[in-house]
Amino acid sequence: MGQYVVGLVKRCFNNKYRHSHPKIIEALKKEIDSKLLTSYVFYHEKRAELVELLQQDAPEGLDKVFLLSTGSEATENAIKLARTYGISKGGKEKHVIVSFSNAFHGRTLGAQLAGGIPALKEWIVNLDPGFVNVPFPDGYFMKDTSFDVFLNSLKEQGIDPKNIAGVISESYQGAGPFFFPKEYAKKLEAFCRENDALLIMDEVQAGFGRTGKWFTFEHYDIKPDLIACGKGISSSLPLSAVIGRSDVMNMYPPGSMTSTHSASPLPVVAAIENLKVLKEEKMTENAAELGKILKERLQTIQEKHPERIGFVASEGLVAGMQIERNGEGDKEAAYKINERCFQKGLLMFAPVGIGGRCIKIAPPLMITKDALQEGLDLLEEVCNEVL
Ligand SMILES: Cc1ncc(COP(=O)(O)O)c(C=O)c1O
């Protein structure tokens, strides 16, 4: 289970479930045998069941769910809803979408306009001035993590807060992982309420137990207006969702918010079983518990190489180490660590983040303590060799 095929290769292949939990396989086979493989916009029982499951764990008041296929589709939809909401409340001026530097929200046009990685926007050519980036308070690239930076950045860019339709952010930035300081997140929530701007949390990567909470925004004790979900929602077949306030989700008349494969039966049954398994097997709790080991071990590795590991971030079962040399990102060393780990049997995502300097660690949520320890032993051994 989990978004990425990351972890100990040897261990994963020895593992009982690998990435194909028998309950998911069984549900899929049953669905295939029932011969309902497509549903287009029509109702089916499993669709209702999934929507209910998602509602149950969403904050109060977020009681509508729109099912889609990819994470990008979910963030696109959330952006569209926010703009439509803004225009309905304050006219066309109220259309601005605020997002963060280094953010990633997907590969489609709106998602990349909202993203905060300039190289990914080159193909767009004519950027939309209604999309505005502000610095993310990561504490690494942006040392000043006060909310004043957000306010000042808007001011410098000539944005009147009243014209903001929505603010979108990953609950943690994938490139770090970088988390909001809680106080900043609370101020952001208050800012959105004050200016009637929708707060959109992109939980495509962060949701469904990854950081030891069902949704990562729960760490900040905030309530978004819209949640974009993907990846770990099904841990297998393509399914994503937007969960939101019904007054926002009901703005479009029937027939306007559609997608051909929305709630397609096979992904839907995979997602239902996945959500149940995550709970039955206490994977969120597992992520929280094993996350303590992951954090502690990475800090120890950093202490051994303070000049080369500039920053370590970790929450639940997601973590990252920023590899540096002379205070600059060291892409070559990060790549070497990644490659050597792979050769020794530890498969991790290729280095991510600005300049490819970040070793990203995101093991499956069902990883055992022993497998995690073994993986970390190996990572430590390789860091000692390379750094
Ligand atoms: C935070 C975040 N949002 C959106 C997306 C896009 O999801 P998808 O690749 O399913 O379109 C991703 C994918 O990596 C992501 O990490």
PDB file of all heavy atoms in Angstrom, residues 289-316:
ATOM      1  N   GLU A 289       3.682   5.865  13.997  1.00  0.00           N
ATOM      2  CA  GLU A 289       4.575   5.173  14.921  1.00  0.00           C
ATOM      3  C   GLU A 289       5.980   5.015  14.313  1.00  0.00           C
ATOM      4  O   GLU A 289       6.979   5.386  14.909  1.00  0.00           O
ATOM      5  CB  GLU A 289       3.957   3.781  15.225  1.00  0.00           C
ATOM      6  CG  GLU A 289       4.421   3.119  16.481  1.00  0.00           C
ATOM      7  CD  GLU A 289       4.456   4.018  17.709  1.00  0.00           C
ATOM      8  OE1 GLU A 289       3.522   4.815  17.903  1.00  0.00           O
ATOM      9  OE2 GLU A 289       5.449   3.914  18.463  1.00  0.00           O
ATOM     10  N   LEU A 290       6.013   4.448  13.093  1.00  0.00           N
ATOM     11  CA  LEU A 290       7.319   4.217  12.468  1.00  0.00           C
ATOM     12  C   LEU A 290       7.983   5.539  12.058  1.00  0.00           C
ATOM     13  O   LEU A 290       9.201   5.623  11.921  1.00  0.00           O
ATOM     14  CB  LEU A 290       7.183   3.290  11.261  1.00  0.00           C
ATOM     15  CG  LEU A 290       6.733   1.851  11.573  1.00  0.00           C
ATOM     16  CD1 LEU A 290       6.902   0.961  10.354  1.00  0.00           C
ATOM     17  CD2 LEU A 290       7.498   1.257  12.748  1.00  0.00           C
ATOM     18  N   GLY A 291       7.146   6.560  11.893  1.00  0.00           N
ATOM     19  CA  GLY A 291       7.673   7.883  11.546  1.00  0.00           C
ATOM     20  C   GLY A 291       8.650   8.397  12.598  1.00  0.00           C
ATOM     21  O   GLY A 291       9.588   9.127  12.280  1.00  0.00           O
ATOM     22  N   LYS A 292       8.431   7.985  13.847  1.00  0.00           N
ATOM     23  CA  LYS A 292       9.338   8.434  14.918  1.00  0.00           C
ATOM     24  C   LYS A 292      10.743   7.864  14.682  1.00  0.00           C
ATOM     25  O   LYS A 292      11.743   8.555  14.852  1.00  0.00           O
ATOM     26  CB  LYS A 292       8.815   7.958  16.283  1.00  0.00           C
ATOM     27  CG  LYS A 292       7.510   8.607  16.696  1.00  0.00           C
ATOM     28  CD  LYS A 292       7.048   8.028  18.030  1.00  0.00           C
ATOM     29  CE  LYS A 292       5.557   8.218  18.223  1.00  0.00           C
ATOM     30  NZ  LYS A 292       4.964   7.273  19.155  1.00  0.00           N
ATOM     31  N   ILE A 293      10.768   6.595  14.273  1.00  0.00           N
ATOM     32  CA  ILE A 293      12.069   5.954  13.999  1.00  0.00           C
ATOM     33  C   ILE A 293      12.732   6.627  12.804  1.00  0.00           C
ATOM     34  O   ILE A 293      13.918   6.962  12.827  1.00  0.00           O
ATOM     35  CB  ILE A 293      11.872   4.444  13.704  1.00  0.00           C
ATOM     36  CG1 ILE A 293      11.282   3.744  14.932  1.00  0.00           C
ATOM     37  CG2 ILE A 293      13.168   3.785  13.245  1.00  0.00           C
ATOM     38  CD1 ILE A 293      10.919   2.289  14.690  1.00  0.00           C
ATOM     39  N   LEU A 294      11.920   6.837  11.760  1.00  0.00           N
ATOM     40  CA  LEU A 294      12.459   7.443  10.537  1.00  0.00           C
ATOM     41  C   LEU A 294      13.084   8.807  10.859  1.00  0.00           C
ATOM     42  O   LEU A 294      14.218   9.104  10.457  1.00  0.00           O
ATOM     43  CB  LEU A 294      11.324   7.580   9.509  1.00  0.00           C
ATOM     44  CG  LEU A 294      11.651   8.170   8.146  1.00  0.00           C
ATOM     45  CD1 LEU A 294      12.735   7.378   7.433  1.00  0.00           C
ATOM     46  CD2 LEU A 294      10.399   8.227   7.257  1.00  0.00           C
ATOM     47  N   LYS A 295      12.352   9.606  11.622  1.00  0.00           N
ATOM     48  CA  LYS A 295      12.837  10.956  11.962  1.00  0.00           C
ATOM     49  C   LYS A 295      14.155  10.876  12.741  1.00  0.00           C
ATOM     50  O   LYS A 295      15.138  11.539  12.406  1.00  0.00           O
ATOM     51  CB  LYS A 295      11.769  11.677  12.787  1.00  0.00           C
ATOM     52  CG  LYS A 295      12.069  13.124  13.054  1.00  0.00           C
ATOM     53  CD  LYS A 295      10.941  13.794  13.814  1.00  0.00           C
ATOM     54  CE  LYS A 295       9.923  14.352  12.857  1.00  0.00           C
ATOM     55  NZ  LYS A 295       8.974  15.252  13.286  1.00  0.00           N
ATOM     56  N   GLU A 296      14.144  10.029  13.764  1.00  0.00           N
ATOM     57  CA  GLU A 296      15.313   9.933  14.643  1.00  0.00           C
ATOM     58  C   GLU A 296      16.553   9.459  13.877  1.00  0.00           C
ATOM     59  O   GLU A 296      17.639  10.031  13.992  1.00  0.00           O
ATOM     60  CB  GLU A 296      14.973   8.943  15.752  1.00  0.00           C
ATOM     61  CG  GLU A 296      15.705   9.169  17.037  1.00  0.00           C
ATOM     62  CD  GLU A 296      15.299   8.106  18.041  1.00  0.00           C
ATOM     63  OE1 GLU A 296      14.132   8.119  18.480  1.00  0.00           O
ATOM     64  OE2 GLU A 296      16.154   7.243  18.334  1.00  0.00           O
ATOM     65  N   ARG A 297      16.344   8.435  13.047  1.00  0.00           N
ATOM     66  CA  ARG A 297      17.489   7.869  12.311  1.00  0.00           C
ATOM     67  C   ARG A 297      18.054   8.876  11.311  1.00  0.00           C
ATOM     68  O   ARG A 297      19.258   8.978  11.120  1.00  0.00           O
ATOM     69  CB  ARG A 297      17.073   6.572  11.575  1.00  0.00           C
ATOM     70  CG  ARG A 297      16.714   5.399  12.451  1.00  0.00           C
ATOM     71  CD  ARG A 297      17.921   4.661  13.038  1.00  0.00           C
ATOM     72  NE  ARG A 297      19.022   4.380  12.139  1.00  0.00           N
ATOM     73  CZ  ARG A 297      19.231   3.222  11.513  1.00  0.00           C
ATOM     74  NH1 ARG A 297      18.389   2.215  11.677  1.00  0.00           N
ATOM     75  NH2 ARG A 297      20.282   3.055  10.745  1.00  0.00           N
ATOM     76  N   LEU A 298      17.160   9.626  10.661  1.00  0.00           N
ATOM     77  CA  LEU A 298      17.648  10.599   9.668  1.00  0.00           C
ATOM     78  C   LEU A 298      18.401  11.729  10.355  1.00  0.00           C
ATOM     79  O   LEU A 298      19.407  12.235   9.840  1.00  0.00           O
ATOM     80  CB  LEU A 298      16.488  11.153   8.835  1.00  0.00           C
ATOM     81  CG  LEU A 298      15.837  10.158   7.875  1.00  0.00           C
ATOM     82  CD1 LEU A 298      14.732  10.828   7.074  1.00  0.00           C
ATOM     83  CD2 LEU A 298      16.852   9.526   6.919  1.00  0.00           C
ATOM     84  N   GLN A 299      17.908  12.095  11.532  1.00  0.00           N
ATOM     85  CA  GLN A 299      18.632  13.144  12.268  1.00  0.00           C
ATOM     86  C   GLN A 299      20.033  12.673  12.650  1.00  0.00           C
ATOM     87  O   GLN A 299      21.003  13.423  12.576  1.00  0.00           O
ATOM     88  CB  GLN A 299      17.841  13.556  13.512  1.00  0.00           C
ATOM     89  CG  GLN A 299      16.741  14.560  13.152  1.00  0.00           C
ATOM     90  CD  GLN A 299      15.681  14.724  14.219  1.00  0.00           C
ATOM     91  OE1 GLN A 299      15.708  14.067  15.256  1.00  0.00           O
ATOM     92  NE2 GLN A 299      14.718  15.595  13.953  1.00  0.00           N
ATOM     93  N   THR A 300      20.131  11.391  13.017  1.00  0.00           N
ATOM     94  CA  THR A 300      21.442  10.829  13.361  1.00  0.00           C
ATOM     95  C   THR A 300      22.364  10.843  12.140  1.00  0.00           C
ATOM     96  O   THR A 300      23.545  11.191  12.240  1.00  0.00           O
ATOM     97  CB  THR A 300      21.280   9.377  13.880  1.00  0.00           C
ATOM     98  OG1 THR A 300      20.316   9.394  14.913  1.00  0.00           O
ATOM     99  CG2 THR A 300      22.573   8.798  14.387  1.00  0.00           C
ATOM    100  N   ILE A 301      21.804  10.469  11.005  1.00  0.00           N
ATOM    101  CA  ILE A 301      22.625  10.476   9.774  1.00  0.00           C
ATOM    102  C   ILE A 301      23.086  11.910   9.486  1.00  0.00           C
ATOM    103  O   ILE A 301      24.247  12.159   9.163  1.00  0.00           O
ATOM    104  CB  ILE A 301      21.839   9.882   8.567  1.00  0.00           C
ATOM    105  CG1 ILE A 301      21.486   8.408   8.826  1.00  0.00           C
ATOM    106  CG2 ILE A 301      22.632  10.019   7.272  1.00  0.00           C
ATOM    107  CD1 ILE A 301      20.606   7.746   7.772  1.00  0.00           C
ATOM    108  N   GLN A 302      22.173  12.864   9.654  1.00  0.00           N
ATOM    109  CA  GLN A 302      22.544  14.267   9.393  1.00  0.00           C
ATOM    110  C   GLN A 302      23.648  14.730  10.355  1.00  0.00           C
ATOM    111  O   GLN A 302      24.580  15.433   9.939  1.00  0.00           O
ATOM    112  CB  GLN A 302      21.327  15.183   9.540  1.00  0.00           C
ATOM    113  CG  GLN A 302      21.632  16.612   9.120  1.00  0.00           C
ATOM    114  CD  GLN A 302      20.535  17.594   9.523  1.00  0.00           C
ATOM    115  OE1 GLN A 302      19.790  17.340  10.449  1.00  0.00           O
ATOM    116  NE2 GLN A 302      20.457  18.695   8.814  1.00  0.00           N
ATOM    117  N   GLU A 303      23.523  14.318  11.615  1.00  0.00           N
ATOM    118  CA  GLU A 303      24.542  14.738  12.593  1.00  0.00           C
ATOM    119  C   GLU A 303      25.934  14.250  12.201  1.00  0.00           C
ATOM    120  O   GLU A 303      26.936  14.882  12.502  1.00  0.00           O
ATOM    121  CB  GLU A 303      24.180  14.197  13.990  1.00  0.00           C
ATOM    122  CG  GLU A 303      23.173  15.095  14.704  1.00  0.00           C
ATOM    123  CD  GLU A 303      22.423  14.382  15.816  1.00  0.00           C
ATOM    124  OE1 GLU A 303      22.940  13.352  16.317  1.00  0.00           O
ATOM    125  OE2 GLU A 303      21.317  14.836  16.164  1.00  0.00           O
ATOM    126  N   LYS A 304      25.982  13.115  11.510  1.00  0.00           N
ATOM    127  CA  LYS A 304      27.281  12.588  11.069  1.00  0.00           C
ATOM    128  C   LYS A 304      27.836  13.366   9.876  1.00  0.00           C
ATOM    129  O   LYS A 304      29.028  13.314   9.603  1.00  0.00           O
ATOM    130  CB  LYS A 304      27.128  11.113  10.662  1.00  0.00           C
ATOM    131  CG  LYS A 304      26.981  10.180  11.828  1.00  0.00           C
ATOM    132  CD  LYS A 304      27.212   8.764  11.353  1.00  0.00           C
ATOM    133  CE  LYS A 304      27.013   7.792  12.486  1.00  0.00           C
ATOM    134  NZ  LYS A 304      26.769   6.436  12.007  1.00  0.00           N
ATOM    135  N   HIS A 305      26.939  14.020   9.135  1.00  0.00           N
ATOM    136  CA  HIS A 305      27.369  14.724   7.911  1.00  0.00           C
ATOM    137  C   HIS A 305      26.769  16.129   7.876  1.00  0.00           C
ATOM    138  O   HIS A 305      26.078  16.494   6.917  1.00  0.00           O
ATOM    139  CB  HIS A 305      26.919  13.934   6.663  1.00  0.00           C
ATOM    140  CG  HIS A 305      27.338  12.507   6.662  1.00  0.00           C
ATOM    141  ND1 HIS A 305      28.609  12.094   6.334  1.00  0.00           N
ATOM    142  CD2 HIS A 305      26.658  11.382   6.990  1.00  0.00           C
ATOM    143  CE1 HIS A 305      28.684  10.783   6.438  1.00  0.00           C
ATOM    144  NE2 HIS A 305      27.531  10.320   6.846  1.00  0.00           N
ATOM    145  N   PRO A 306      27.045  16.934   8.895  1.00  0.00           N
ATOM    146  CA  PRO A 306      26.369  18.241   8.978  1.00  0.00           C
ATOM    147  C   PRO A 306      26.697  19.174   7.810  1.00  0.00           C
ATOM    148  O   PRO A 306      25.888  20.023   7.451  1.00  0.00           O
ATOM    149  CB  PRO A 306      26.863  18.809  10.319  1.00  0.00           C
ATOM    150  CG  PRO A 306      28.103  18.054  10.655  1.00  0.00           C
ATOM    151  CD  PRO A 306      27.990  16.716  10.012  1.00  0.00           C
ATOM    152  N   GLU A 307      27.871  18.994   7.206  1.00  0.00           N
ATOM    153  CA  GLU A 307      28.256  19.867   6.091  1.00  0.00           C
ATOM    154  C   GLU A 307      27.574  19.461   4.789  1.00  0.00           C
ATOM    155  O   GLU A 307      27.460  20.266   3.871  1.00  0.00           O
ATOM    156  CB  GLU A 307      29.783  19.815   5.857  1.00  0.00           C
ATOM    157  CG  GLU A 307      30.627  20.189   7.059  1.00  0.00           C
ATOM    158  CD  GLU A 307      30.432  21.657   7.419  1.00  0.00           C
ATOM    159  OE1 GLU A 307      30.400  22.463   6.480  1.00  0.00           O
ATOM    160  OE2 GLU A 307      30.290  21.953   8.627  1.00  0.00           O
ATOM    161  N   ARG A 308      27.179  18.198   4.715  1.00  0.00           N
ATOM    162  CA  ARG A 308      26.659  17.679   3.433  1.00  0.00           C
ATOM    163  C   ARG A 308      25.140  17.482   3.425  1.00  0.00           C
ATOM    164  O   ARG A 308      24.533  17.392   2.358  1.00  0.00           O
ATOM    165  CB  ARG A 308      27.347  16.340   3.079  1.00  0.00           C
ATOM    166  CG  ARG A 308      28.859  16.390   3.023  1.00  0.00           C
ATOM    167  CD  ARG A 308      29.370  17.357   1.955  1.00  0.00           C
ATOM    168  NE  ARG A 308      28.854  17.072   0.635  1.00  0.00           N
ATOM    169  CZ  ARG A 308      29.337  16.133  -0.169  1.00  0.00           C
ATOM    170  NH1 ARG A 308      30.367  15.415   0.205  1.00  0.00           N
ATOM    171  NH2 ARG A 308      28.804  15.935  -1.353  1.00  0.00           N
ATOM    172  N   ILE A 309      24.553  17.355   4.604  1.00  0.00           N
ATOM    173  CA  ILE A 309      23.090  17.221   4.646  1.00  0.00           C
ATOM    174  C   ILE A 309      22.552  18.504   5.288  1.00  0.00           C
ATOM    175  O   ILE A 309      22.586  18.688   6.500  1.00  0.00           O
ATOM    176  CB  ILE A 309      22.640  15.963   5.428  1.00  0.00           C
ATOM    177  CG1 ILE A 309      23.283  14.708   4.811  1.00  0.00           C
ATOM    178  CG2 ILE A 309      21.119  15.840   5.428  1.00  0.00           C
ATOM    179  CD1 ILE A 309      23.008  13.412   5.560  1.00  0.00           C
ATOM    180  N   GLY A 310      22.081  19.407   4.432  1.00  0.00           N
ATOM    181  CA  GLY A 310      21.743  20.745   4.890  1.00  0.00           C
ATOM    182  C   GLY A 310      20.439  20.823   5.665  1.00  0.00           C
ATOM    183  O   GLY A 310      20.240  21.723   6.477  1.00  0.00           O
ATOM    184  N   PHE A 311      19.558  19.881   5.413  1.00  0.00           N
ATOM    185  CA  PHE A 311      18.220  19.974   6.008  1.00  0.00           C
ATOM    186  C   PHE A 311      17.576  18.597   5.958  1.00  0.00           C
ATOM    187  O   PHE A 311      17.692  17.891   4.960  1.00  0.00           O
ATOM    188  CB  PHE A 311      17.387  20.967   5.173  1.00  0.00           C
ATOM    189  CG  PHE A 311      16.078  21.385   5.764  1.00  0.00           C
ATOM    190  CD1 PHE A 311      16.016  22.391   6.723  1.00  0.00           C
ATOM    191  CD2 PHE A 311      14.884  20.806   5.347  1.00  0.00           C
ATOM    192  CE1 PHE A 311      14.796  22.807   7.249  1.00  0.00           C
ATOM    193  CE2 PHE A 311      13.662  21.213   5.865  1.00  0.00           C
ATOM    194  CZ  PHE A 311      13.625  22.235   6.818  1.00  0.00           C
ATOM    195  N   VAL A 312      16.935  18.232   7.038  1.00  0.00           N
ATOM    196  CA  VAL A 312      16.182  16.975   7.067  1.00  0.00           C
ATOM    197  C   VAL A 312      14.769  17.299   7.505  1.00  0.00           C
ATOM    198  O   VAL A 312      14.569  18.060   8.446  1.00  0.00           O
ATOM    199  CB  VAL A 312      16.829  15.977   8.064  1.00  0.00           C
ATOM    200  CG1 VAL A 312      15.867  14.871   8.419  1.00  0.00           C
ATOM    201  CG2 VAL A 312      18.093  15.372   7.484  1.00  0.00           C
ATOM    202  N   ALA A 313      13.792  16.780   6.789  1.00  0.00           N
ATOM    203  CA  ALA A 313      12.398  16.968   7.205  1.00  0.00           C
ATOM    204  C   ALA A 313      11.715  15.610   7.192  1.00  0.00           C
ATOM    205  O   ALA A 313      12.013  14.770   6.334  1.00  0.00           O
ATOM    206  CB  ALA A 313      11.690  17.911   6.256  1.00  0.00           C
ATOM    207  N   SER A 314      10.835  15.410   8.140  1.00  0.00           N
ATOM    208  CA  SER A 314      10.228  14.094   8.274  1.00  0.00           C
ATOM    209  C   SER A 314       8.936  14.192   9.065  1.00  0.00           C
ATOM    210  O   SER A 314       8.880  14.878  10.083  1.00  0.00           O
ATOM    211  CB  SER A 314      11.249  13.213   9.023  1.00  0.00           C
ATOM    212  OG  SER A 314      10.765  11.940   9.209  1.00  0.00           O
ATOM    213  N   GLU A 315       7.893  13.539   8.585  1.00  0.00           N
ATOM    214  CA  GLU A 315       6.632  13.463   9.335  1.00  0.00           C
ATOM    215  C   GLU A 315       5.935  12.180   8.895  1.00  0.00           C
ATOM    216  O   GLU A 315       5.681  11.981   7.708  1.00  0.00           O
ATOM    217  CB  GLU A 315       5.755  14.692   8.995  1.00  0.00           C
ATOM    218  CG  GLU A 315       4.610  14.923   9.958  1.00  0.00           C
ATOM    219  CD  GLU A 315       5.063  15.257  11.376  1.00  0.00           C
ATOM    220  OE1 GLU A 315       5.717  16.288  11.563  1.00  0.00           O
ATOM    221  OE2 GLU A 315       4.747  14.459  12.298  1.00  0.00           O
ATOM    222  N   GLY A 316       5.645  11.305   9.856  1.00  0.00           N
ATOM    223  CA  GLY A 316       5.065  10.024   9.473  1.00  0.00           C
ATOM    224  C   GLY A 316       6.014   9.294   8.546  1.00  0.00           C
ATOM    225  O   GLY A 316       7.230   9.266   8.774  1.00  0.00           O
TER     226      GLY A 316
END
